[in-house]
Amino acid sequence: GAGVSQTPSNKVTEKGKYVELRCDPISGHTALYWYRQSLGQGPEFLIYFQGTGAADDSGLPNDRFFAVRPEGSVSTLKIQRTERGDSAVYLCASSMIAGAYNEQFFGPGTRLTVL
Amino acid sequence: AQTVTQSQPEMSVQEAETVTLSCTYDTSESDYYLFWYKQPPSRQMILVIRQEAYKQQNATENRFSVNFQKAAKSFSLKISDSQLGDAAMYFCAYLTTSGTYKYIFGTGTRLKVLA
């Protein structure tokens, strides 16, 4: 596609439920990044992939969060046993390759609300 | 660890006037990249301008320019001839060149443009 797309745009769930958030990167982009943006804050890094492998997952807050990218394209961020504190906008970005000079293109995000 | 600070939660500017958004950062690295991103209500982060730390010349992109003071660890964004479409959240971001390509964002500045 022309840009990074994320589905769903909005997700409302109940505390304790499992959710999956999907990211479709720009075609041909090998690097993919997940960020979390809480209300009134800047985005915070969660994880990034180069190809199929997670190159840096140091930002995942705990073991309830997990992300996959099995074919090196689409990625899914999975959150188990959701908590109210997980409510945020989850942003995905992609770049041609992972590198300092390769612009990260962002999607519109998924707004997750945990009741 | 690197940190990015934006001390202006909100700024206002009259249409056609000039405004400067402030950003300071802390790092022990000598080589890195700095960015300004714009986030309109659509939530999609848009790259405004980029600065490589090893370049002494300040970056410029049309009406947008930066004042990069490496010794002072300051990176301000100047918007000239402000337009209504410039109204958005602006985030300053740091990117290390030491092998992991995650942005560290500031908390953002909301820019209002007055007609």
Side-chain angles (χ1 to χ4, degrees):
Chain A
V4 178
S5 62
Q6 293 186 245
T7 54
S9 178
N10 292 282
K11 175 71 177 178
V12 180
T13 190
E14 293 179 345
K15 180 175 178 294
K17 299 289 189 182
Y18 168 83
V19 296
E20 290 189 350
L21 312 179
R22 176 187 168 107
C23 173
D24 277 89
I26 293 172
S27 179
H29 279 193
T30 63
L32 185 146
Y33 313 77
W34 284 99
Y35 294 84
R36 178 169 71 173
Q37 186 174 18
S38 300
L39 191 63
Q41 301 295 317
E44 291 181 297
F45 169 79
L46 295 176
I47 184 172
Y48 92 87
F49 293 85
Q50 178 60 57
T52 60
D56 184 347
D57 64 357
S58 62
L60 294 177
N62 51 60
D63 61 5
R64 296 187 298 106
F65 288 74
F66 190 71
V68 295
R69 197 186 184 201
E71 298 179 358
S73 178
V74 171
S75 177
T76 304
L77 179 66
K78 308 180 180 194
I79 310 174
Q80 298 177 322
R81 304 183 305 279
T82 52
E83 300 177 357
R84 293 195 179 87
D86 299 335
S87 296
V89 173
Y90 289 81
L91 296 170
C92 176
S94 71
S95 64
M96 188 70 70
I97 59 171
Y101 206 77
N102 291 282
E103 181 181 345
Q104 295 184 24
F105 294 86
F106 283 81
T110 293
R111 182 180 298 280
L112 175 66
T113 302
V114 182
L115 301 177
Chain B
Q2 296 85 14
T3 58
V4 176
T5 302
Q6 293 179 252
S7 58
Q8 304 158 316
E10 189 171 294
M11 293 283 285
S12 296
V13 62
Q14 206 70 36
E15 198 176 4
E17 296 296 309
T18 296
V19 65
T20 299
L21 307 184
S22 300
C23 172
T24 59
Y25 59 94
D26 190 28
T27 184
S28 58
E29 298 178 329
S30 59
D31 194 17
Y32 47 88
Y33 288 72
L34 296 165
F35 303 80
W36 279 97
Y37 272 88
K38 171 184 178 181
Q39 187 178 43
S42 66
R43 299 196 305 240
Q44 192 144 5
M45 302 282 278
I46 302 164
L47 178 64
V48 173
I49 199 165
R50 166 179 35 214
Q51 174 79 43
E52 294 92 336
Y54 64 87
K55 288 188 177 179
Q56 293 187 343
Q57 186 173 5
N58 289 325
T60 300
E61 289 285 344
N62 301 313
R63 297 183 295 107
F64 300 88
S65 62
V66 299
N67 183 4
F68 173 50
Q69 301 289 327
K70 190 173 184 179
K73 295 179 182 173
S74 170
F75 182 62
S76 60
L77 174 69
K78 185 171 83 171
I79 306 174
S80 303
D81 186 26
S82 298
Q83 300 175 359
L84 294 176
D86 295 333
M89 284 292 292
Y90 285 81
F91 290 96
C92 178
Y94 175 102
L95 183 68
T96 181
T97 59
S98 62
T100 183
Y101 303 107
K102 58 187 181 187
Y103 287 124
I104 299 169
F105 286 92
T107 52
T109 296
R110 180 175 302 281
L111 178 66
K112 295 185 175 181
V113 181
L114 308 173

